[in-house]
Amino acid sequence: MTPVPDPFPALAEIREDGGVAEVIPNFWLVARYDLVREGFKDSTCLSNRAPHGRESDSIVHLDGEPHRKLRKLLSRAFTPRAMRGTEGIVAAIANDLIDDLGDAGRTNFVDAFTRPLPTIVMSAILGVPAQDRADFVRWSDEAVAHAYLPEPAPSADEFEAYVLGRIEEARSSEGETLIHYLVDERDGEGRLTDRELLHNVRILIIAGNETTANLLGTTFFQLLSVPERWERVVADASLVEHVIEESLRFDPPLNWVPREAASSCPVGEVTIPQDAHVGLGVGAANRDPAVFESPDDYDIDRHGIRNTHLTFGYGEHFCLGATLARVEAQTALEVARTRLPNLALDPDFQFAPKGPIMMRGVSELPVSFSPAKARE
């Protein structure tokens, strides 16, 4: 299921008509900022439980005390200080990808830059060899495509076997990769089980690749589709952080975040029946005029929204990888603006969103460029 090019007028109608609607049978969308934020806080009503019972012990699908216990352990690997320490890794990978563009002067920037960068970064953090990165992309794509379908991805067993192999290797070797850390880390009751390690490493791979790739694609599309924006960012490095926050707000990589009604749940003026599927519409919430001025405008001068938009969630399930995603996106944009100042979107380009399901990104970005400037 691919997203429609512009879902926001329809989302605005839902938001203005009470903020909650059953958009297809047994699937309810929450589209008003205050209701979405409250939905993130209330896991007793809107549960994070896993669809079809898969990976029910990953951090994404736990609530209450089991979630708090696991999050406390995992969060030690994702402190802002630790994630900011990855800037050098991201910059080196971004520079390598730009070097690989060569002198052809034209490329699909999604395939050449925005798509591979997060995969290679996550591979480096996890300690995955370069020769396995192509498989990583395939496994991640298939896992995302099947995340909310009854049947598992065709490569699910292959992906599981690979991750278990990396875990076993980390147990018998010294290293400073994220997998080594997770294997060694423990709380007062002991270490993560093999099952917990497997499912949480898989979630980190999937989430760390797909969402950041979509964020990068959206950012470059928004900047290059209005050349004056790109020119301003090239000329002024101070805009980089604001641009990334505006991209996160304007067209988030996850347009809605899935939940299930653990009981009959009152949301706004609607009662959502037990076991119904629910989407917390962060894309709609981020364009709520009650919170954001001129919300349908992409404004690179918009400041002060870092802690207001809901793209990374809210409350106890706030995204663990938020700092890493920001570091990746800001660093990638900084490298690109420095080395490819004449980057330009094909004038005949027609935007097509990339899915599947709740994801939003850019399918392709045909661009032209002058030979890249030398690394600084």
Side-chain angles (χ1 to χ4, degrees), residues 7-16 29 31 255 283-284:
F8 296 102
L11 293 173
E13 290 183 11
I14 296 172
R15 187 176 59 238
E16 293 161 6
L29 187 72
N255 195 253

Side-chain angles (χ1 to χ4, degrees), residues 46-374:
L46 297 180
S47 170
N48 294 274
R49 64 192 181 196
H52 317 298
R54 296 203 298 264
E55 299 188 340
S56 58
D57 53 0
S58 76
I59 192 168
V60 173
H61 297 305
L62 291 173
D63 291 316
E65 184 57 30
H67 173 265
R68 284 188 286 274
K69 175 184 172 183
L70 182 57
R71 185 181 179 92
K72 180 180 179 181
L73 190 152
L74 292 178
S75 64
R76 297 169 192 165
F78 285 90
T79 63
R81 181 178 180 182
M83 292 301 97
R84 284 193 292 270
T86 64
E87 289 177 2
I89 295 173
V90 178
I93 291 167
N95 275 299
D96 288 345
L97 290 171
I98 288 177
D99 288 343
D100 289 344
L101 295 178
D103 299 326
R106 301 189 67 81
T107 191
N108 176 356
F109 208 57
V110 168
D111 290 344
F113 190 80
T114 66
R115 178 68 188 147
L117 186 140
T119 303
I120 299 172
V121 169
M122 185 56 69
S123 298
I125 292 172
L126 289 168
V128 173
Q131 64 266 24
D132 294 338
R133 289 170 183 166
D135 286 331
F136 246 48
V137 173
R138 175 171 59 86
W139 293 330
S140 178
D141 285 348
E142 290 185 1
V144 169
H146 287 75
Y148 287 87
L149 297 178
E151 68 278 2
S155 59
D157 290 343
E158 185 182 2
F159 195 1
E160 178 174 318
Y162 182 84
V163 173
L164 285 172
R166 303 301 305 175
I167 290 169
E168 284 305 309
E169 182 178 307
R171 279 207 173 98
S172 59
S173 65
E174 297 290 330
E176 297 182 357
T177 72
L178 181 57
I179 291 181
H180 280 91
Y181 174 86
L182 294 176
V183 165
D184 292 338
E185 187 60 15
R186 60 188 298 132
D187 61 18
E189 299 180 20
R191 292 187 173 91
L192 292 171
T193 67
D194 279 359
R195 179 182 173 87
E196 289 171 330
L197 281 166
L198 169 65
H199 290 167
N200 283 287
V201 168
R202 274 174 49 90
I203 286 293
L204 292 174
I205 292 167
I206 295 165
N209 292 347
E210 189 72 19
T211 54
T212 306
N214 285 345
L215 169 59
L216 286 169
T218 293
T219 297
F220 281 99
F221 167 62
Q222 291 297 334
L223 294 178
L224 297 175
S225 62
V226 181
E228 292 81 3
R229 292 175 183 163
W230 180 247
E231 292 166 5
R232 286 191 60 199
V233 172
V234 168
D236 186 356
S238 70
L239 290 171
V240 168
E241 181 179 350
H242 302 306
V243 163
I244 297 306
E245 294 304 319
E246 180 67 344
S247 293
L248 286 164
R249 180 201 70 83
F250 184 78
D251 201 353
L254 280 173
N255 195 253
W256 51 269
V257 178
R259 294 288 189 268
E260 288 191 12
S263 59
S264 181
C265 295
V267 181
E269 299 177 358
V270 171
T271 298
I272 297 175
Q274 184 174 355
D275 296 328
H277 300 290
V278 180
L280 295 178
V282 294
N286 286 349
R287 295 201 187 193
D288 192 331
V291 180
F292 301 97
E293 184 177 354
S294 303
D296 293 319
D297 294 340
Y298 184 90
D299 183 1
I300 65 175
D301 293 308
R302 194 186 301 271
H303 294 181
I305 61 170
R306 180 185 177 96
N307 297 318
T308 306
H309 68 70
L310 298 176
T311 297
F312 291 120
Y314 186 80
E316 67 176 15
H317 273 274
F318 186 83
C319 178
L320 267 179
T323 298
L324 177 58
R326 284 175 165 129
V327 167
E328 287 187 65
Q330 292 174 21
T331 305
L333 180 54
E334 177 59 34
V335 170
R337 64 170 283 278
T338 302
R339 298 197 60 199
L340 296 170
N342 296 319
L343 194 66
L345 191 62
D346 189 319
D348 296 326
F349 171 71
Q350 296 292 319
F351 169 75
K354 180 182 182 299
I357 314 176
M358 67 278 198
M359 297 285 185
R360 274 188 68 82
V362 181
S363 293
E364 59 179 3
L365 279 176
V367 298
S368 61
F369 58 93
S370 300
K373 291 187 176 183

